[in-house]
């Protein structure tokens, strides 16, 4: 039996069109498409980040399915649901971690195993240089903002409150209610 070859960034580039994946522990980890409500929430965050980027000229709002290349012992890439990046944009994956990353929970990302996986991924984000990670929990109607300076003590904001990404994005915040479609 031949040992399995460790996956590379080049393998990540070969993930089929519109495929979302990350390189973790030497393996390509594929992620299924998300549902309507998580997709809507991520789009609202990117729209708000785009306005902030235009106003401050400090970086770029990055939507879902963009790869960020990092060099950690167990992880070589991230693909957050939304992000803010201060590096140079090219046609390739982005080099380095975003300063702000957003993970919007999908239907399958609940329960003890999902909590452990999300905590591990947050630790990787912080090890790579991300300053703030949002855990957007639409079932509970909250945003948990984790900061590299206090990674075990999130700031929790709910409906009718504003969530921010200080210190990564000075002066930026958005209403948690904006993550949900208006009532019809």
């Amino acid at each position: 039996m031949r040992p399995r070859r460790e996956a590379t960034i080049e393998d990540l580039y070969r993930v089929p069109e519109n495929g979302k994946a990350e390189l973790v522990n030497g393996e390509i980890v594929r992620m299924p498409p998300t549902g309507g409500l998580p997709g809507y929430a991520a789009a609202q965050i990117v729209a708000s980040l785009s306005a902030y980027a235009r106003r401050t000229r400090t970086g770029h709002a990055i939507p879902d399915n963009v790869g960020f290349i990092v060099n950690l012992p167990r992880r070589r890439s991230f693909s957050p649901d939304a992000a803010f990046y201060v590096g140079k944009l090219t046609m390739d994956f982005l080099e380095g971690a975003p300063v702000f990353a957003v993970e919007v929970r999908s239907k399958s990302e609940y329960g003890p195993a999902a909590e452990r996986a999300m905590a591990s991924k947050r630790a990787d984000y912080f090890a790579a240089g991300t300053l703030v990670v949002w855990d957007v929990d639409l079932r509970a109607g909250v945003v948990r903002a984790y900061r590299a300076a206090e990674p075990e003590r999130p700031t929790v904001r709910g409906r009718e409150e504003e969530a921010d990404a200080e210190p990564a994005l000075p002066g930026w915040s958005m209403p948690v209610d904006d993550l949900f479609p208006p009532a019809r």
Side-chain angles (χ1 to χ4, degrees), residues 47-115:
S48 181
L49 290 172
S50 291
Y52 177 81
R54 279 190 306 277
R55 186 176 78 249
T56 64
R57 300 185 190 279
T58 58
H60 312 282
I62 304 297
D64 190 16
N65 207 22
V66 173
F68 291 82
I69 303 304
V70 296
N71 190 15
L72 298 176
R74 296 184 347 240
R75 179 182 288 275
R76 297 281 291 133
S77 74
F78 293 108
S79 185
D81 298 314
F84 197 84
Y85 181 68
V86 296
K88 182 180 179 185
L89 298 182
T90 70
M91 295 296 284
D92 295 320
F93 293 142
L94 302 176
E95 288 291 331
V99 294
F100 172 52
V102 178
E103 296 291 339
V104 181
R105 290 179 185 238
S106 297
K107 193 161 97 171
S108 64
E109 294 177 313
Y110 289 89
E115 292 300 327

